[in-house]
Amino acid sequence: MKLDLSGKVAVVSGSTSGIGLGIARGLAKTGATVVIVGRQKAGVDNAIADISANVPGAQVRGVVADLGTEHGAATLFAAEPRADVLINNLGIFNDNDFFTVPDSEWMHFYNVNVLSGVRLARHYAQSMTEQGWGRIIFVSSESGVAIPADMINYGVTKSANLAVSHGLAKRLAGTGVTVNAILPGPTFTEGLQDMLADAAAKSGRSARDQADEFVKTERPSSIIQRAADVDEVANLAVYLASPLSSATTGAALRVDGGVVDTLAM
């Protein structure tokens, strides 16, 4: 199976680290021109350097913009007015009790996790439909299906990703543009390591071992009983971005290690 995106431009939001960087690296390997987007210039520069070092001949450029705001989205559109592939990966998470989360934090999560993707899809889908081809992928989460008790605000936004993705797929029917969502489970990213840093310090475990222990204790339904590696998640997104996925649209595809205990989805 050859995944070839030569000549295509792929915009990846939140791509300076973690799953976003993994997807960007994977897309670069297919020949796509990849646009890294992040809030800090140092992070964008480091991501470009990472991809350039790991993918010989990679075509990669960057935009510094806060996509959780309208101004940030406008900055991206001015720099990169069109795209063939859009990966809506930008997202934030934390573990806070429902009764301690104020309205302001709910709105912040909604702006970053939901509206960023809405704005980008609304803009880039237009040029995709004009050319009769495009791929839009929302990075949701298993937490959007099985809402964690200690991450309710996060789970709600990830459910919203699924609703937007499915509705937009129907709206773009017959245009040659597909829209899908992927649902990662716990993944060994810098964000998960940061969240578990205190627990790792107390237990004396390595970051990797602590992440796997988190899966076993907090997501006991996991079939693989470990955190996924970034590339294991990125591979699914890269396939969905390719021409080979043309019959897959409106789907919510799990790469959660079996955390969600159901036959469907």
Side-chain angles (χ1 to χ4, degrees), residues 63-160:
V63 177
V64 178
D66 180 357
L67 297 182
T69 67
E70 290 185 72
H71 175 74
T75 298
L76 172 62
F77 301 153
E80 298 289 343
R82 61 169 298 278
D84 304 289
V85 174
L86 169 62
I87 310 292
N88 281 317
N89 171 74
L90 179 63
I92 53 176
F93 67 94
N94 58 21
D95 53 343
N96 283 324
D97 184 70
F98 175 82
F99 295 102
T100 68
V101 180
D103 287 2
S104 59
E105 187 162 350
W106 275 90
M107 292 307 300
H108 180 53
F109 267 66
Y110 194 80
N111 279 323
V112 174
N113 291 4
V114 182
L115 283 181
S116 67
V118 168
R119 292 186 186 108
L120 269 57
R122 188 170 56 208
H123 176 84
Y124 288 118
Q126 296 179 58
S127 60
M128 293 180 189
T129 56
E130 289 170 1
Q131 69 184 7
W133 193 94
R135 298 287 185 264
I136 300 174
I137 299 166
F138 287 80
V139 179
S140 179
S141 168
E142 49 86 15
S143 294
V145 178
I147 310 292
D150 59 348
M151 301 173 72
I152 294 174
N153 54 336
Y154 172 73
V156 167
T157 61
K158 290 302 174 179
S159 294

Side-chain angles (χ1 to χ4, degrees), residues 6-248:
S6 300
K8 306 295 187 185
V9 174
V11 171
V12 187
S13 70
S15 46
T16 58
S17 64
I19 291 172
L21 177 56
I23 294 173
R25 191 185 301 119
L27 290 170
K29 291 178 181 177
T30 70
T33 295
V34 177
V35 179
I36 300 293
V37 190
R39 292 185 303 152
Q40 304 295 331
K41 185 177 186 303
V44 171
D45 290 345
N46 288 339
I48 292 173
D50 175 288
I51 294 173
S52 298
N54 286 283
V55 184
Q59 302 177 71
V60 56
R61 52 185 184 248
V63 177
V64 178
D66 180 357
L67 297 182
T69 67
E70 290 185 72
H71 175 74
T75 298
L76 172 62
F77 301 153
E80 298 289 343
R82 61 169 298 278
D84 304 289
V85 174
L86 169 62
I87 310 292
N88 281 317
N89 171 74
L90 179 63
I92 53 176
F93 67 94
N94 58 21
D95 53 343
N96 283 324
D97 184 70
F98 175 82
F99 295 102
T100 68
V101 180
D103 287 2
S104 59
E105 187 162 350
W106 275 90
M107 292 307 300
H108 180 53
F109 267 66
Y110 194 80
N111 279 323
V112 174
N113 291 4
V114 182
L115 283 181
S116 67
V118 168
R119 292 186 186 108
L120 269 57
R122 188 170 56 208
H123 176 84
Y124 288 118
Q126 296 179 58
S127 60
M128 293 180 189
T129 56
E130 289 170 1
Q131 69 184 7
W133 193 94
R135 298 287 185 264
I136 300 174
I137 299 166
F138 287 80
V139 179
S140 179
S141 168
E142 49 86 15
S143 294
V145 178
I147 310 292
D150 59 348
M151 301 173 72
I152 294 174
N153 54 336
Y154 172 73
V156 167
T157 61
K158 290 302 174 179
S159 294
N161 291 158
L162 298 175
V164 173
S165 172
H166 190 69
L168 184 57
K170 292 190 286 187
R171 173 63 180 81
L172 296 177
T175 65
V177 181
T178 65
V179 187
N180 294 288
I182 64 171
L183 290 79
T187 305
F188 191 58
T189 62
E190 296 90 338
L192 183 61
Q193 292 179 60
D194 289 344
M195 190 179 84
L196 300 177
D198 289 344
K202 291 178 181 177
S203 69
R205 296 187 181 95
S206 68
R208 177 77 225 196
D209 287 346
Q210 189 64 51
D212 293 345
E213 182 63 21
F214 170 82
V215 172
K216 293 173 184 176
T217 58
E218 301 299 323
R219 303 290 188 271
S221 58
S222 170
I223 294 173
I224 63 174
Q225 288 290 290
R226 62 172 175 83
D229 291 326
V230 165
D231 286 347
E232 293 176 309
V233 176
N235 289 340
L236 178 57
V238 173
Y239 165 73
L240 289 174
S242 78
L244 299 184
S245 68
S246 54
T248 304

